[in-house]
Amino acid sequence: MPRAERRPGSAGPGKARIARHKAREFAVQGLYEWLVSGSDTWDIIRHLRESDEYEAADAAFVERLVSGAIADADELSAWMQPFLDRPVNALSPVERAILLLAGFELRTAPEAEFGAPYRVVINEAVELAKLFGGTDGHKYVNGVVDKLAGAVRADERSVPGSRPAQ
């Protein structure tokens, strides 16, 4: 089986996965800041860059996630509302930030430069909810993101073996 070609200076698959996970952590923090303070997108990104741990994240991915989710926030909120049990504005800022991030990622095709398979998006959202959210927030996030994935990635989910048995 041929090995995937990598660009010179790019991280290996394990390092890239860790860098993208770190990027999602920073993106949730940035979206949280935006939801709570209403700060400008690029001020938020500058603030995130000041963290000592930022160099471990995929910086381009952080910027794409934060700027994209903020730019599309109204559309994403309206799109996810039917899958929620309360108004989107009644969600905790942490849950809302995670759902905006996951919704933005799900609406990006997996083949795109920054796209990810729906299962990765769900798993990452759950892990972020465990890290930043309330005690059982990850269960709520899992249920909502799974429904969002069904709405926007139905073709991907219908591929045999692409969804775990329930």
Side-chain angles (χ1 to χ4, degrees):
M1 182 176 286
R3 297 177 88 185
E5 289 188 32
R6 281 187 247 151
R7 289 174 273 152
S10 68
K15 288 183 181 180
R17 187 173 31 244
I18 292 168
R20 286 174 66 100
H21 176 76
K22 261 303 194 206
R24 288 181 181 97
E25 288 181 8
F26 278 105
V28 167
Q29 292 173 53
L31 291 170
Y32 177 87
E33 182 178 341
W34 176 74
L35 289 167
V36 172
S37 72
S39 296
D40 175 72
T41 302
W42 296 108
D43 288 340
I44 291 169
I45 290 171
R46 272 192 293 280
H47 179 246
L48 294 173
R49 288 179 184 156
E50 293 172 2
S51 171
D52 292 337
E53 296 180 25
Y54 191 78
E55 67 185 40
D58 179 335
F61 193 44
V62 173
E63 291 179 17
R64 177 72 179 120
L65 294 173
V66 172
S67 63
I70 289 173
D72 295 351
D74 290 340
E75 183 182 335
L76 290 167
S77 294
W79 172 63
M80 70 175 73
Q81 184 59 66
F83 303 103
L84 303 175
D85 64 352
R86 62 197 110 163
V88 71
N89 291 336
L91 294 170
S92 78
V94 171
E95 288 174 342
R96 189 171 172 194
I98 293 167
L99 292 174
L100 285 171
L101 173 64
F104 179 75
E105 279 202 83
L106 285 170
R107 290 176 60 156
T108 303
E111 307 81 38
E113 181 181 358
F114 291 113
Y118 84 94
R119 291 173 74 182
V120 170
V121 176
I122 293 171
N123 290 338
E124 287 287 334
V126 169
E127 291 306 313
L128 291 166
K130 287 178 180 177
L131 180 63
F132 295 116
T135 305
D136 287 331
H138 67 282
K139 295 175 185 176
Y140 183 74
V141 166
N142 183 45
V144 173
V145 177
D146 186 60
K147 291 173 188 170
L148 294 173
V152 75
R153 299 273 189 98
D155 292 344
E156 184 182 348
R157 288 178 58 155
S158 66
V159 174
S162 68
R163 186 165 188 204
Q166 302 213 356

